[in-house]
Amino acid sequence: MKKYFFRMGAFLIDTVIAILIASFLCIIPFINPNANKIADNQDALKHEYELAKDLRDKTENYIKDDKINQFEYKEILDQFPTYYDLFKDVVVDEKLSDDFKNNIQNKIAEQYNSIATNYSYDINKMGLSQTIITIVVYMLYFGVLPFVMDGQTLGKKLLRLKVVDAKDEEKSIPIWKYLIRAFLICETIFTLASIIMINVLSKKAFINASFYVKQAQYLYELAFLVCFVLREDQRSIHDLLLGTTVILIDKEGKRIPDPVYIQKEEVQEVKEVKRETKKQVTSSKKTTKKKNSKKEEVKAEKVND
């Protein structure tokens, strides 16, 4: 259990470091020429979210008296022009319909989702350089760095963890295994799928396809997590495929046995002792029976004589 929390902590530390490095590189215009445009769109998306939230709160107050007055109507027109169509059939100071009151919050949410989707698509479309930078940083950090640091990243070094060959801890792990390991851990396949889809598909097709890719990604993450949690050795799919495992080490770099394995080894030793004792008892009984049998034969021969 101790190694479980250490591995989770190391992964969190490494992820934060990788994100910080990638984020720093992505704000440099020379490396990422669309950095300013992406930032503007992200600000606009954030502003749109705040507008939608503000409108939902105000609308809830507007309809408490079952009508919208002139001041409220003008406020909607001036402050929330992108949502005006949702209120165009409202008559000032007249009673609102039950249909309007029951559905207006959902319609505001739908309108926001539509606007947010368009912004997100534009951000993804302009973010090709940013995505490539992120992939490169992740592959270098999770793939090349542990090869250079003999099975460790900064997070693993801090928490005294190390990637080793599952069969022979002294055996060197080739760099291609570390790169594949990074490819699987960082879910790079889904990022590459998004890059291809956004440059090949139409906006509507991309949005629809992204939904299914996201579901596949959730299943992928769940499979990794389930495998990691359920296995006593805490080897997940990438470890099983590549024949690696993660161990705890002390200050000298020597392996610290997992308590679960120590316990299993002790139980195994007890079983072996019991098995040997049982064999000895069985053998002793057989020897005793043979001796008794010989004694009976000797007595029988004397009686016959």
Side-chain angles (χ1 to χ4, degrees):
M1 187 59 71
K2 181 180 180 181
K3 188 172 76 174
Y4 173 84
F5 289 112
F6 276 27
R7 286 192 67 178
M8 295 295 289
F11 181 72
L12 180 62
I13 292 170
D14 288 331
T15 301
V16 170
I17 293 172
I19 289 174
L20 289 175
I21 294 171
S23 299
F24 173 75
L25 293 174
C26 287
I27 63 175
I28 301 175
F30 175 75
I31 298 176
N32 183 18
N34 290 324
N36 292 332
K37 291 181 180 180
I38 291 172
D40 290 342
N41 275 268
Q42 288 173 336
D43 290 341
L45 178 58
K46 182 179 178 182
H47 176 68
E48 198 63 41
Y49 170 79
E50 292 170 351
L51 273 181
K53 184 177 181 301
D54 188 27
L55 179 58
R56 286 196 297 269
D57 293 340
K58 288 187 175 180
T59 301
E60 189 174 346
N61 291 324
Y62 290 164
I63 63 178
K64 282 183 178 178
D65 58 357
D66 292 335
K67 63 181 180 179
I68 293 179
N69 60 40
Q70 184 66 42
F71 172 79
E72 293 166 343
Y73 196 78
K74 186 175 186 304
E75 189 174 39
I76 293 170
L77 182 63
D78 293 341
Q79 296 184 17
F80 311 99
T82 52
Y83 296 88
Y84 174 72
D85 285 346
L86 303 180
F87 297 85
K88 64 181 180 180
D89 295 330
V90 171
V91 179
V92 174
D93 290 329
E94 288 194 10
K95 185 175 181 180
L96 299 170
S97 66
D98 291 336
D99 180 67
F100 177 87
K101 290 189 294 182
N102 294 333
N103 296 312
I104 185 60
Q105 293 292 349
N106 289 335
K107 288 182 177 179
I108 293 172
E110 289 173 2
Q111 180 83 345
Y112 166 74
N113 288 335
S114 176
I115 295 171
T117 298
N118 288 330
Y119 274 119
S120 297
Y121 176 82
D122 292 338
I123 290 170
N124 284 319
K125 190 77 173 177
M126 292 184 292
L128 179 60
S129 299
Q130 186 167 305
T131 304
I132 292 174
I133 291 169
T134 303
I135 290 175
V136 171
V137 169
Y138 271 63
M139 294 301 292
L140 289 174
Y141 188 88
F142 289 97
V144 177
L145 184 62
F147 175 74
V148 174
M149 294 180 62
D150 192 26
Q152 292 184 300
T153 54
L154 298 179
K156 283 185 172 63
K157 191 171 184 64
L158 182 64
L159 297 180
R160 293 182 187 169
L161 295 168
K162 183 179 179 181
V163 180
V164 297
D165 188 277
K167 294 181 179 179
D168 183 3
E169 294 177 15
E170 302 300 323
K171 182 180 178 181
S172 297
I173 299 175
I175 190 170
W176 65 266
K177 279 194 176 185
Y178 283 118
L179 291 173
I180 293 176
R181 205 169 185 276
F183 187 87
L184 295 172
I185 292 173
C186 301
E187 305 174 12
T188 310
I189 184 67
F190 299 104
T191 307
L192 293 175
S194 294
I195 291 175
I196 294 171
M197 289 190 304
I198 202 166
N199 287 283
V200 172
L201 303 178
S202 64
K203 181 187 292 188
K204 185 177 180 180
F206 170 75
I207 292 169
N208 292 332
S210 293
F211 171 79
Y212 294 105
V213 170
K214 185 61 73 175
Q215 302 311 307
Q217 187 172 0
Y218 289 147
L219 292 175
Y220 180 86
E221 293 170 351
L222 181 62
F224 261 74
L225 184 61
V226 168
C227 184
F228 175 66
V229 171
L230 294 185
R231 289 183 61 90
E232 289 183 346
D233 59 5
Q234 294 170 16
R235 294 175 70 202
S236 195
I237 294 173
H238 55 284
D239 286 315
L240 296 173
L241 289 174
L242 298 169
T244 59
T245 189
V246 177
I247 62 171
L248 280 167
I249 57 175
D250 58 21
K251 291 181 179 180
E252 286 72 37
K254 297 179 181 179
R255 176 172 185 162
I256 301 175
D258 297 331
V260 64
Y261 296 131
I262 295 174
Q263 186 178 3
K264 285 180 72 176
E265 288 170 4
E266 290 175 349
V267 170
Q268 189 65 29
E269 287 177 4
V270 172
K271 286 182 178 179
E272 289 294 334
V273 170
K274 287 182 177 180
R275 191 178 294 112
E276 289 299 322
T277 303
K278 188 176 180 181
K279 285 181 180 179
Q280 292 174 3
V281 170
T282 304
S283 177
S284 178
K285 285 181 179 179
K286 287 180 179 180
T287 303
T288 303
K289 283 183 179 180
K290 286 181 180 180
K291 288 181 178 179
N292 290 336
S293 178
K294 286 183 179 181
K295 286 180 180 180
E296 292 295 330
E297 289 177 1
V298 170
K299 284 181 181 179
E301 287 177 359
K302 286 181 178 180
V303 170
N304 291 334
D305 291 342

